[in-house]
Amino acid sequence: MTAIATALAIQVGRGTGTWWVFLAVLTGQLSVGWSNDYLDRQRDRRSSRIDKPIVAGQVSASLVGACAVVALILCIPLSLFSGWRAGSLHLAAVSLAWAYNFKLKSTFASAVPFLVDFGLLPACVTLGLARHPWPRLWAIVAASLLGVGAHFVNVLPDLESDRHTGVNGLPQRVGYVASLIIGAILIATSTVVIALFAIDSEDRLRIGFLVLSLAGALSIFISGLSGRTRLAWTMTLCLAVVAVASLIANGSSIVG
C-alpha cells in the first residue's frame, strides 16, 4: 500500500508532497500490521504460527501493541500535512482497517474495509493537490476491485487455520476454490477497467492488458476447478502484480 500510494503521488504530480503521502501511509500501515499481530497473538499461538515474531518469542506482545499505538498517533499529523481533505480520508481508511482487525475480519463484512480503503487510496493522493481534485471514477472502481480481490487471495494460505481459530470472514465462509476464483475475477476486472478507461484507445497496451487479464482469469479458473490450487494461487498473485502495475503506470490520468 505504501509503495502504491507513493508511486501514484509521483505520477499525479504531488512533488515534495509525495513525502507526506509516503510517511502517512507508512505509519498507517505499520499501525494496522502491528495491531493485527497484537490482537491475533493468541490465535497465532494456537495455530503454531512461529513465523510471527510474537509467537516466536522475538518480541514481546506489549512492545508490539505500544508500537502500533505510537504509529497510529504519528499517522494523524502526517496525514493532515496533505490537507484536511486528503488527511481526513486517509485517517478514516486507517480507522476502518483497525475495525477489521478488531472485529470485521470474522464477519460477512470482512471485504468492506478492502473495498473502501483501496477505493479511497487514489482520492487520498489527489485531494492533496493544489485544487483538491477527486480522482476519476474508473480509478476508484479499479482500486476497489483490486482491494477486494486481494482480500480473497491474501487469506488463502491461512484459510483452514483461520477457521479453526474463529476467524470466519467472507473468504472463509465461501471456501478456498470459490475465494480463489472470486479473487482472480475481481483482480482481472480491475485491470480491464484500467485498460478500457485509462489507456488511449489507439494504444496497443489496451489490447495487451485486456488479453492478459482475461487469459489469466480463465487459466486461474481452470486451475482452481481442476484442484491445482497452488498453481492457481501463484498465478493470481502474478495477475495482481499486473493490475497494480497498470494502475501505477496510468496514474497520471486519474485526475481529470
Side-chain angles (χ1 to χ4, degrees), residues 25-106:
V25 178
L26 176 64
T27 52
Q29 289 298 298
L30 288 176
S31 77
V32 172
W34 285 333
S35 65
N36 182 68
D37 277 3
Y38 177 79
L39 293 169
D40 280 359
R41 64 192 186 279
Q42 298 301 337
R43 292 193 183 102
D44 291 337
R45 287 193 178 103
R46 291 198 296 270
S47 300
S48 300
R49 290 291 305 274
I50 58 174
D51 57 313
K52 295 294 188 76
I54 294 178
V55 178
Q58 298 173 341
V59 63
S60 67
S62 59
L63 177 58
V64 173
C67 287
V69 173
V70 170
L72 180 62
I73 293 173
L74 290 174
C75 180
I76 297 173
L78 289 171
S79 297
L80 294 175
F81 272 123
S82 288
W84 69 266
R85 297 172 181 83
S88 298
L89 273 186
H90 182 247
L91 292 174
V94 172
S95 299
L96 190 55
W98 272 68
Y100 172 84
N101 288 344
F102 271 102
K103 180 64 177 178
L104 291 179
K105 67 164 59 180
S106 298

Side-chain angles (χ1 to χ4, degrees), residues 152-175:
F152 277 95
V153 174
N154 186 55
V155 302
L156 293 179
D158 304 317
L159 199 68
E160 290 305 319
S161 62
D162 284 344
R163 283 172 171 169
H164 291 310
T165 55
V167 177
N168 201 23
L170 187 56
Q172 289 84 2
R173 294 169 190 262
V174 301

Side-chain angles (χ1 to χ4, degrees), residues 176-194:
Y176 190 102
V177 174
S179 293
L180 182 64
I181 294 172
I182 292 171
I185 290 174
L186 290 173
I187 294 171
T189 304
S190 173
T191 308
V192 169
V193 169
I194 297 168

